[in-house]
Amino acid sequence: MADNNEQEKKVEYLELIYDLIFVYIVGRNNSILHHVEGGFVTIETFLLYIFCTLAVIQIWSFSTIYINIHGRNSVRDHIFLFINMYLLYHMANGIGHDWREGFYEFNIAWALILINIAIQYFLEIRNQKGKEWAVIVLKQQGYIILAEVALIIVHIFVYYLSGVSIAYVPVLFGIIISFVTGNIFTMFPVDFSHLSERAMLYVVFTFGEMIIVISSYFEGGFNANTLYFSIMSFLIVVGLFLSYEMLYNRIVDREKMTNGLVYILVHVFIILSLNNISVALEFMRDEEVDLLPKVIFISVSIIVYFACILALSMYAKKRCKFNIKFFAGIVIISIVFIALMIILRENMYVNIALTVLMVGSVFLLIYNKSSKSSG
């Protein structure tokens, strides 16, 4: 088991640069949804976007867990990170609306990155000699990652033979196996302060992408229409950000002893939902997108984001635990929000105002709960 007296791990500069590449590649992945057909994106395009995004964020989660538990900021660690950074550019280059053009580049880079992470686990065995259980855990995690690599290779051959993509198989395997085998990491409690900081920084970088997206709301001249939509879009981003900031700074117990896997997995979906919100905000101004799918997309994306934040309440300080009354309030607000968004979908002035009210209402509930942690 990890020594609780060890010095707290700090987030290194190289980790920040590494995370920025993930923001770049996920932002590039968002461009997949910019191709609208028949008033909205097709099911095939949306699923491509979802699984590409999950595959990329999953790589981040695997490498983040390894660095948190076993990273020593050594030359070897740096070399492996630089290799993955290089390969991530190839994954980004393989992303596009016509996924068939970059299929092999994306998937081969994906497999090589996971092999790189698995090798790190096997190399770490040398540092755990004499710790039989630790060696077993390291081997198991390495083999799990290699099993996902094998599924990616199967995926490549299936596509080669049939032209059909089964990318969902390795992605879902990685998510499910992380839940199933989560208990093996009880032998290696993470430095939760470091882990939560890494996750927070990735979320902040993702908000940076959203800030760039809403810059389009400031175009069109200095007039009442531009002012209204720019203010509203800015308030949405501020409300979303402050809700997470309150959770991170005031509610989450960053000294908690935990394996951190659920925390990271929930953040995978927080980042996915934030990217969906960024695209949804672009759709709000796109006249080619039909009104009903437009309002449903932004409504569901925001609700998923807040649902993920609520899921993190399992890491809350005891005096800040969310109760049934709190959850009920969020559910009622969400139901009313979706209903009004659908009913009033013809008026985008009202839609964006409703979105601000939804985000602001949930933020105030979280703020009220977080205030109990002071003192």
Side-chain angles (χ1 to χ4, degrees):
M1 182 176 290
D3 185 357
N4 294 337
N5 295 320
E6 289 181 1
Q7 186 177 0
E8 181 181 306
K9 188 186 291 289
K10 303 295 184 182
V11 175
E12 303 294 339
Y13 290 118
L14 184 57
E15 293 177 72
L16 299 180
I17 297 172
Y18 187 58
D19 289 352
L20 282 172
I21 292 184
F22 282 96
V23 175
Y24 158 69
I25 190 173
V26 173
R28 182 179 171 90
N29 197 42
N30 287 351
S31 64
I32 294 174
L33 295 184
H34 294 168
H35 301 272
V36 177
E37 298 177 18
F40 201 62
V41 295
T42 64
I43 294 296
E44 180 187 29
T45 299
F46 187 71
L47 289 177
L48 168 66
Y49 160 76
I50 291 293
F51 287 113
C52 280
T53 302
L54 286 176
V56 173
I57 303 175
Q58 190 181 80
I59 289 171
W60 174 83
S61 67
F62 284 159
S63 56
T64 296
I65 289 288
Y66 174 83
I67 291 170
N68 182 274
I69 299 175
H70 304 293
R72 295 176 175 81
N73 196 30
S74 63
V75 173
R76 191 190 79 187
D77 289 344
H78 287 189
I79 290 173
F80 277 95
L81 276 181
F82 281 127
I83 291 172
N84 273 2
M85 289 163 67
Y86 172 78
L87 292 171
L88 280 166
Y89 276 106
H90 281 289
M91 287 189 75
N93 196 51
I95 292 174
H97 176 57
D98 187 356
W99 56 270
R100 295 170 182 82
E101 291 183 1
F103 177 87
Y104 292 108
E105 184 173 10
F106 180 94
N107 285 279
I108 291 172
W110 180 14
L112 289 174
I113 289 170
L114 292 184
I115 290 172
N116 186 16
I117 297 172
I119 289 172
Q120 289 178 277
Y121 275 99
F122 291 125
L123 291 177
E124 178 61 23
I125 291 174
R126 294 181 301 176
N127 297 319
Q128 301 293 336
K129 287 183 178 179
K131 301 178 182 178
E132 183 178 353
W133 180 246
V135 171
I136 292 173
V137 172
L138 287 166
K139 287 182 178 179
Q140 182 171 337
Q141 187 61 18
Y143 288 136
I144 286 172
I145 295 175
L146 289 181
E148 183 166 344
V149 172
L151 290 175
I152 295 171
I153 293 172
V154 170
H155 163 52
I156 293 172
F157 276 104
V158 168
Y159 174 77
Y160 177 76
L161 295 173
S162 65
V164 175
S165 172
I166 56 169
Y168 56 88
V169 173
V171 170
L172 293 179
F173 171 82
I175 294 173
I176 293 170
I177 202 66
S178 294
F179 278 111
V180 172
T181 63
N183 287 335
I184 69 174
F185 285 97
T186 54
M187 294 300 297
F188 292 109
V190 299
D191 183 327
F192 191 56
S193 178
H194 171 269
L195 189 72
S196 59
E197 185 177 2
R198 279 293 303 278
M200 176 273 294
L201 289 169
Y202 195 176
V203 170
V204 169
F205 291 154
T206 306
F207 270 112
E209 179 79 15
M210 191 180 297
I211 288 172
I212 294 172
V213 165
I214 68 167
S215 64
S216 63
Y217 282 78
F218 291 78
E219 299 172 356
F222 195 70
N223 53 56
N225 185 70
T226 300
L227 282 174
Y228 177 78
F229 280 100
S230 61
I231 290 171
M232 291 299 177
S233 63
F234 184 74
L235 288 175
I236 290 170
V237 176
V238 169
L240 293 170
F241 175 77
L242 288 179
S243 296
Y244 182 87
E245 186 266 341
M246 287 293 166
L247 180 88
Y248 175 78
N249 278 329
R250 298 191 180 185
I251 294 177
V252 169
D253 181 4
R254 285 183 279 159
E255 297 180 359
K256 188 179 183 68
M257 290 295 295
T258 174
N259 62 25
L261 285 179
V262 174
Y263 191 84
I264 286 296
L265 285 170
V266 171
H267 271 80
V268 167
F269 291 97
I270 285 178
I271 293 164
L272 177 63
S273 62
L274 284 175
N275 279 282
N276 282 339
I277 293 170
S278 294
V279 175
L281 287 171
E282 291 184 280
F283 283 164
M284 290 284 282
R285 291 173 57 85
D286 193 341
E287 296 181 357
E288 293 183 15
V289 181
D290 288 345
L291 292 173
L292 184 58
K294 179 186 298 188
V295 298
I296 290 177
F297 188 50
I298 193 167
S299 302
V300 172
S301 298
I302 289 174
I303 288 173
V304 169
Y305 171 74
F306 282 121
C308 289
I309 285 184
L310 296 181
L312 293 178
S313 65
M314 67 179 72
Y315 296 94
K317 300 169 185 174
K318 288 184 179 180
R319 60 182 178 272
C320 297
K321 292 287 185 182
F322 298 158
N323 53 31
I324 297 298
K325 182 179 179 181
F326 181 87
F327 283 110
I330 300 294
V331 170
I332 292 171
I333 291 173
S334 300
I335 293 173
V336 172
F337 171 61
I338 290 181
L340 290 177
M341 287 287 282
I342 293 175
I343 293 171
L344 302 172
R345 64 184 181 275
E346 299 290 339
N347 192 324
M348 297 310 297
Y349 286 89
V350 176
N351 283 167
I352 198 166
L354 286 171
T355 305
V356 171
L357 289 173
M358 160 66 178
V359 172
S361 298
V362 177
F363 161 68
L364 289 175
L365 287 176
I366 296 174
Y367 175 78
N368 182 59
K369 178 64 65 173
S370 71
S371 65
K372 296 180 181 180
S373 67
S374 60

